[in-house]
């Protein structure tokens, strides 16, 4: 069971209010596909992704980045029960999508990096970083929970 | 054996020239100690690290962050043989400092986050990929002499 204190909830709400679901989601997914190229295997139906230019101009990457970031936003609206909220998505990733759950952490790391680049060192303080690293770790763990 | 293409080498060298070893080193170590608190066990002699305030004010953290990032910078002229270059440091971390090598990856990630926060939009996916490759290679080099 994950406990969030008032300061953490406030940090997440105030940062998330400034997140651009489409642009930031796109950056997080494209960096995951570029930096960890094996993750492209999960998206062979997206078409051309062999170079960074292909990935950047691929509309399916943009759409999917948005979808993933919107799902993170939904998890934030259910912060007190992220495991319960993500249990269907977890089953989907295990039973249908067959995603190695190690990859959830890679995407989580990229979300943190995109937010760090967007907000800069003054706003993305160690406290903000720690809170978001906790969030992505909790989401990864919840997405892994129904694996069998 | 790790291969670096000309673009990757250029990217690393040109960005490294703009890194502030003292400030970025301090921020990287601060964030490591705050986000991954078990790392503080390695630095008992630094004194108070119990809160983020204490970590920020701690002059040992500042000095050591600078030292660590300088050591990473020393790898940049030796990209073709980081493992060889880090052999002694690897032995030191294993035999004398007894550091769990998993922590090298955590520090590497933290350095990438600090560089992203420093460079903002200039920290493009290509730059990120080059630096993630560098920190992974440094972590591998530091782990190599463990036994």
């Amino acid at each position: 069971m994950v406990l969030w204190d008032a300061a953490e909830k406030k940090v997440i709400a105030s940062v998330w209010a400034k997140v651009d679901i489409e642009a930031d989601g796109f950056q997080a997914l494209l960096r995951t596909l570029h930096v960890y190229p094996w993750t492209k295997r999960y998206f062979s139906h997206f078409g051309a992704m062999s170079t960074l230019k292909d990935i950047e101009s691929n509309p399916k990457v943009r759409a999917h980045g948005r979808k993933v970031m919107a799902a993170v936003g939904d998890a934030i609206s259910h912060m007190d029960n992220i495991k319960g909220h993500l249990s269907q998505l977890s089953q989907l990733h295990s039973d249908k999508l067959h995603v190695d759950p190690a990859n959830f952490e890679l995407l989580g790391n990229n979300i943190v990096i995109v937010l760090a680049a967007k907000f800069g060192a003054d706003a993305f303080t160690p406290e903000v970083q720690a809170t978001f690293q906790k969030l992505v770790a909790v989401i990864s763990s919840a997405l892994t929970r129904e694996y069998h | 054996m790790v291969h670096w293409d000309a673009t990757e080498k250029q990217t690393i060298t040109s960005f490294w020239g703009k890194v502030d070893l003292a400030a970025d080193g301090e921020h990287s170590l601060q964030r490591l100690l705050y986000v991954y608190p078990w790392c503080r066990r390695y630095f008992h002699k630094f004194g108070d690290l119990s809160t983020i305030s204490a970590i920020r004010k701690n002059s040992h953290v500042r000095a050591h962050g600078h030292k660590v990032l300088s050591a990473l910078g020393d790898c940049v002229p030796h990209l073709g043989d980081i493992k060889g270059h880090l052999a002694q440091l690897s032995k030191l971390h294993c035999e004398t400092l007894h550091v769990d090598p998993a922590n090298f990856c955590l520090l590497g990630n933290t350095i990438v986050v600090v560089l992203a926060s420093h460079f903002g939009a200039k920290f493009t996916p290509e730059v990120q990929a080059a630096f993630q490759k560098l920190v992974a290679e440094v972590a591998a080099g530091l782990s190599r002499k463990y036994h």
Side-chain angles (χ1 to χ4, degrees), chain A residues 111-124:
Chain A
I111 290 172
V112 171
I113 288 168
V114 166
L115 295 180
K118 181 186 172 107
F119 291 106
D122 291 339
F124 200 72

Side-chain angles (χ1 to χ4, degrees), chain A:
Chain A
M1 186 182 158
V2 180
L3 294 162
W4 299 93
D5 65 32
E8 288 171 324
K9 288 187 179 187
K10 188 164 185 230
V11 159
I12 291 187
S14 87
V15 168
W16 203 257
K18 299 170 204 135
V19 160
D20 180 333
I21 304 285
E22 175 157 344
D24 298 336
F26 175 52
Q27 279 298 320
L29 183 59
L30 90 83
R31 283 163 194 257
T32 302
L33 296 168
H34 181 62
V35 178
Y36 308 109
W38 57 86
T39 57
K40 295 179 205 178
R41 287 183 181 279
Y42 295 115
F43 304 104
S44 41
H45 53 289
F46 277 14
M49 286 196 295
S50 48
T51 63
L52 180 61
K53 274 203 159 62
D54 288 338
I55 300 172
E56 276 165 339
S57 47
N58 190 312
K60 292 189 170 151
V61 173
R62 187 176 285 273
H64 197 70
R66 183 181 210 291
K67 183 174 183 179
V68 165
M69 211 63 155
V72 171
D74 280 344
I76 290 173
S77 317
H78 297 85
M79 263 173 79
D80 292 323
N81 184 20
I82 289 181
K83 282 187 188 86
H85 174 71
L86 289 179
S87 89
Q88 299 289 351
L89 258 185
S90 178
Q91 270 172 62
L92 177 78
H93 282 77
S94 163
D95 299 348
K96 299 245 158 54
L97 305 177
H98 307 299
V99 176
D100 179 340
N103 294 302
F104 303 145
E105 288 173 32
L106 302 183
L107 179 55
N109 282 348
N110 274 310
I111 290 172
V112 171
I113 288 168
V114 166
L115 295 180
K118 181 186 172 107
F119 291 106
D122 291 339
F124 200 72
T125 61
E127 296 92 319
V128 172
Q129 179 181 341
T131 305
F132 271 88
Q133 293 209 213
K134 179 174 170 177
L135 177 70
V136 299
V138 168
I139 290 175
S140 259
S141 165
L143 279 174
T144 308
R145 199 157 195 258
E146 304 297 336
Y147 272 65
H148 58 95

Side-chain angles (χ1 to χ4, degrees), chain B residues 10-21:
Chain B
Q10 235 264 75
T11 301
I12 295 205
T13 313
S14 84
F15 266 78
W16 200 259
K18 300 169 207 142
V19 165
D20 180 336
L21 295 179

Side-chain angles (χ1 to χ4, degrees), chain B residues 1-109:
Chain B
M1 189 183 155
V2 180
H3 295 283
W4 298 89
D5 65 34
T7 312
E8 287 171 324
K9 288 183 185 181
Q10 235 264 75
T11 301
I12 295 205
T13 313
S14 84
F15 266 78
W16 200 259
K18 300 169 207 142
V19 165
D20 180 336
L21 295 179
D24 294 334
E26 180 186 11
H27 292 147
S28 300
L29 187 58
Q30 275 175 0
R31 287 168 191 252
L32 180 76
L33 296 170
Y34 184 63
V35 179
Y36 308 107
W38 56 85
C39 295
R40 299 174 202 175
R41 288 184 183 277
Y42 297 114
F43 304 104
H44 284 310
K45 54 197 217 287
F46 281 15
D48 188 7
L49 295 175
S50 54
T51 63
I52 185 62
S53 269
I55 294 171
R56 279 192 172 110
K57 292 193 282 241
N58 192 307
S59 58
H60 294 289
V61 172
R62 182 183 289 268
H64 198 70
H66 189 170
K67 184 176 180 176
V68 166
L69 209 62
S70 299
L72 185 77
D74 283 345
C75 294
V76 172
H78 299 90
L79 286 181
D81 185 27
I82 288 180
K83 287 187 182 86
H85 175 72
L86 290 178
Q88 297 297 343
L89 258 183
S90 179
K91 282 190 180 129
L92 177 77
H93 282 78
C94 170
E95 294 165 7
T96 306
L97 304 176
H98 307 298
V99 175
D100 180 340
N103 294 306
F104 304 145
C105 297
L106 300 184
L107 180 55
N109 281 350

Side-chain angles (χ1 to χ4, degrees), chain B residues 121-135:
Chain B
K122 294 195 180 90
F123 200 69
T124 62
E126 295 98 326
V127 175
Q128 179 182 337
F131 275 93
Q132 293 211 214
K133 183 171 171 176
L134 176 66
V135 299

